[in-house]
Amino acid sequence: MAICRVRALVSLAKRNSTFISPMRTFSSSCQFESVGFIGLGNMGYRMANNLMKAGYKLTVHDINFDVMKTFFDMGVATKETPFEVGETSDIVITMLPSSSHVLDVYNGPNGLLQGGNILRPRILIDSSTIDPQTSRNISAAVSNCSLKEKKDLWENPVMLDAPVSGGVGGSEDAYLAAKPLFLSMGRNSIYCGGAGNGSAAKICNNLALAVSMLGVSEALVLGQSLGIAASTLTKIFNSSSARCWSSDSYNPVPGVMEGVPSSQNYGGGFASKLMAKDLNLASESAKQVGLKCPLTSQAREIYTKLCKDGHETQDFSCVFRHYYSGKDEL
């Protein structure tokens, strides 16, 4: 059904050949004028919108007809399949929910790599949060392809793994060439080394974030049980060695800090189900390299339970209330 509706949208675009796009285009000096974007969920939508505002010629694909229609109405080209996006783009960015979705977009029917070993895009950037080994496998497959049209010094297409935490893995030359796109999407970026290292950096960052949130929540609940107000203990943390992002910028106790999910009944923010997913990736990666990570295992168990108890869509800081039974600050 979704494919049929997308085809209808594409047909409408073909009929509406006199449509004049309001977007600015880059000069001929721009290395990557045509950008494809696949995956227009919450984060992907904002990234693609920023690229459009920056003046890139954008082509998009998503299985959601409504979001495709939104971009079509803004003058953006829409395509039925990932393969068609690749055929019209100098560079392609994917922002997808999981490793299986990324593999399907690259290797599945009508995927980016289904045109044989010849590719139009010079760089493919995956901004999904997936396991490092999948990133490395796809990168190797991309590197084994040839370019349909060789420009400048480009001989083969290159893949970068660039999750939204800021780390980028892959060819450093490709990273430097793509850096203006990262800036246009509103993202700071740090080169991390070879293929898969961007994905590795993301899951390590979120592992540290989960453990710190659990530690802060546990300490605050213990403080409450011992008669110390959470707001008072937070001040101690933030002026002493316990200070961290989970205490001074994203406090989990309702009533202690304004403008964070805990002050909005844990709405918005980073969903607990996403944290559980990232902890699963961290746990599996640790197993692959034979590393014992007891805090990873414990954090994964806690967030898995939190999701099973019905809090999967609430921000991950809700662990304070729903796992530790912490009290709101009155």
Side-chain angles (χ1 to χ4, degrees), residues 104-117:
D104 186 59
V105 163
Y106 274 86
N107 299 329
N110 298 310
L112 291 166
L113 302 182
Q114 289 309 297
N117 62 346

Side-chain angles (χ1 to χ4, degrees), residues 25-27 30-37 51 55-60 77 85-93 120-123 151 181:
T25 57
F26 275 76
S27 67
C30 179
Q31 193 173 22
F32 302 111
E33 181 177 337
S34 302
V35 179
F37 205 103
L51 287 171
Y56 287 96
K57 180 183 177 183
L58 204 61
T59 301
V60 301
V85 172
E87 287 294 283
T88 61
S89 305
D90 297 322
I91 189 165
V92 173
I93 302 168
R120 157 75 189 274
R122 282 170 279 166
I123 298 180
K151 293 183 180 179
L181 277 86

Side-chain angles (χ1 to χ4, degrees), residues 128-133 135-136 161-163 165 167-169 192 194-207 278 281-282 285:
S128 316
T129 300
I130 64 176
D131 65 281
Q133 192 55 52
S135 293
R136 289 168 181 147
D161 47 285
S165 60
V168 180
C192 296
N197 285 8
S199 295
K202 173 64 181 292
I203 62 175
C204 290
N205 179 83
N206 282 14
L207 165 60
D278 290 356
L281 291 174
S285 295

Side-chain angles (χ1 to χ4, degrees), residues 78-96:
T78 58
K79 296 295 180 181
E80 294 182 38
T81 66
F83 178 75
E84 290 177 292
V85 172
E87 287 294 283
T88 61
S89 305
D90 297 322
I91 189 165
V92 173
I93 302 168
T94 50
M95 184 64 181
L96 302 160

Side-chain angles (χ1 to χ4, degrees), residues 74 76 81-82 101 119-120 124 132 160 223 232 321:
M74 292 189 289
V76 176
T81 66
H101 294 92
L119 290 178
R120 157 75 189 274
L124 298 103
L160 296 172
T232 300
R321 174 188 286 173

Side-chain angles (χ1 to χ4, degrees), residues 11-305:
S11 296
L12 176 60
K14 291 177 180 177
R15 291 198 304 270
N16 191 13
S17 58
T18 60
F19 182 87
I20 300 175
S21 171
M23 296 185 294
R24 174 176 66 85
T25 57
F26 275 76
S27 67
S28 59
S29 63
C30 179
Q31 193 173 22
F32 302 111
E33 181 177 337
S34 302
V35 179
F37 205 103
I38 300 170
L40 302 169
N42 290 335
M43 186 63 70
Y45 183 100
R46 292 194 292 270
M47 293 162 64
N49 196 46
N50 285 342
L51 287 171
M52 185 186 71
K53 290 177 180 179
Y56 287 96
K57 180 183 177 183
L58 204 61
T59 301
V60 301
H61 168 75
D62 196 275
I63 60 173
N64 185 321
F65 174 85
D66 292 331
V67 73
M68 289 269 280
K69 179 68 163 55
T70 298
F71 275 89
F72 171 78
D73 290 343
M74 292 189 289
V76 176
T78 58
K79 296 295 180 181
E80 294 182 38
T81 66
F83 178 75
E84 290 177 292
V85 172
E87 287 294 283
T88 61
S89 305
D90 297 322
I91 189 165
V92 173
I93 302 168
T94 50
M95 184 64 181
L96 302 160
S98 68
S99 299
S100 62
H101 294 92
V102 175
L103 288 169
D104 186 59
V105 163
Y106 274 86
N107 299 329
N110 298 310
L112 291 166
L113 302 182
Q114 289 309 297
N117 62 346
I118 304 296
L119 290 178
R120 157 75 189 274
R122 282 170 279 166
I123 298 180
L124 298 103
I125 300 174
D126 181 43
S127 292
S128 316
T129 300
I130 64 176
D131 65 281
Q133 192 55 52
T134 296
S135 293
R136 289 168 181 147
N137 291 342
I138 297 175
S139 177
V142 169
S143 297
N144 285 330
C145 295
S146 299
L147 284 172
K148 178 176 291 187
E149 181 180 353
K150 293 180 173 60
K151 293 183 180 179
D152 302 322
L153 299 177
W154 294 91
E155 293 292 333
N156 299 94
V158 181
M159 181 183 172
L160 296 172
D161 47 285
V164 294
S165 60
V168 180
S171 159
E172 187 169 11
D173 288 339
Y175 162 67
L176 293 174
K179 197 168 184 179
L181 277 86
F182 294 128
L183 294 174
S184 294
M185 288 186 285
R187 295 171 51 188
N188 293 321
S189 59
I190 299 171
Y191 181 65
C192 296
N197 285 8
S199 295
K202 173 64 181 292
I203 62 175
C204 290
N205 179 83
N206 282 14
L207 165 60
L209 176 60
V211 171
S212 70
M213 180 59 74
L214 293 173
V216 167
S217 297
E218 191 168 297
L220 288 169
V221 171
L222 176 60
Q224 287 180 333
S225 301
L226 295 174
I228 307 173
S231 56
T232 300
L233 195 52
T234 294
K235 291 176 183 177
I236 299 297
F237 287 175
N238 293 343
S239 61
S240 190
S241 55
R243 182 176 185 176
C244 64
W245 189 80
S246 296
S247 68
D248 72 358
S249 299
Y250 212 79
N251 197 281
V253 183
V256 169
M257 184 178 293
E258 295 182 356
V260 295
S262 62
S263 68
Q264 302 162 15
N265 198 31
Y266 299 105
F270 187 64
S272 294
K273 64 180 179 180
L274 297 179
M275 181 58 82
K277 168 203 159 187
D278 290 356
L279 289 168
N280 280 326
L281 291 174
S283 181
E284 289 303 313
S285 295
K287 287 180 182 178
Q288 289 175 6
V289 296
L291 185 65
K292 292 182 179 180
C293 293
L295 294 181
T296 302
S297 299
Q298 186 67 35
R300 182 186 62 176
E301 290 176 10
I302 290 173
Y303 276 101
T304 298
K305 183 178 188 305

